[in-house]
Amino acid sequence: MKFRISNQPWTVVEDQDLIEVVERYGYGTHRWEAVARFLGTRTRKECQSLWAEWLDPQIRRDEWSEMENTKLRELSRIMPAQWQTISQIFNSSRTAMACQLRHAFILENPQRISGQEGPSSFTKKAGPSQRTNNQPKSGEKKLFLKRSTPRIKIDLGFDE
């Protein structure tokens, strides 16, 4: 079976077509191959990804609350770049992509989030990055140490 990989962005018409086809097959569909075949322009994986990250009506698209911003900051500090896990902690009401984009927005615009003025611990510093003593010199390999303590579940107390 041939799979067509498309690097083209989705169009509004394709979005509407996908919504109609998923409504036809049901929202909880696992028949993405049939959906993709019906559309004829995208692969199963592309259809599933677009639906899960952007078009699913169960995704929350409203403004992020201050409590959600705080929760996201803490979770990203504890679990850096584990956006899928972080989105599951939000009870899947926010997608992994939404969490990642919001985190980037918080880092770039800290005063707009918390209403504070001036520099913040979340502000990126301008200028070239400086190599610290714990970074390897060019040509050296960085060693990764094994985790000595087991992972434990952390309750942050942010129940909604």
Side-chain angles (χ1 to χ4, degrees), residues 126-146:
S129 62
Q130 305 231 344
R131 192 178 70 79
T132 60
N133 291 336
N134 64 350
Q135 291 179 334
K137 295 177 184 172
S138 62
E140 290 181 354
K141 291 185 178 178
K142 186 172 184 177
L143 298 175
F144 292 97
L145 302 176
K146 280 187 152 182

Side-chain angles (χ1 to χ4, degrees), residues 5 13-14 22 27 31 41 72 108 120 128 143 151 153:
I5 304 299
V13 173
E14 286 179 311
V22 171
Y27 286 117
R31 301 176 60 194
T41 58
L72 183 62
E108 292 170 5
S120 166
L143 298 175
R151 293 183 182 209
K153 187 173 182 179

Side-chain angles (χ1 to χ4, degrees), residues 146-154:
K146 280 187 152 182
R147 180 181 295 276
S148 59
T149 57
R151 293 183 182 209
I152 56 171
K153 187 173 182 179
I154 300 172

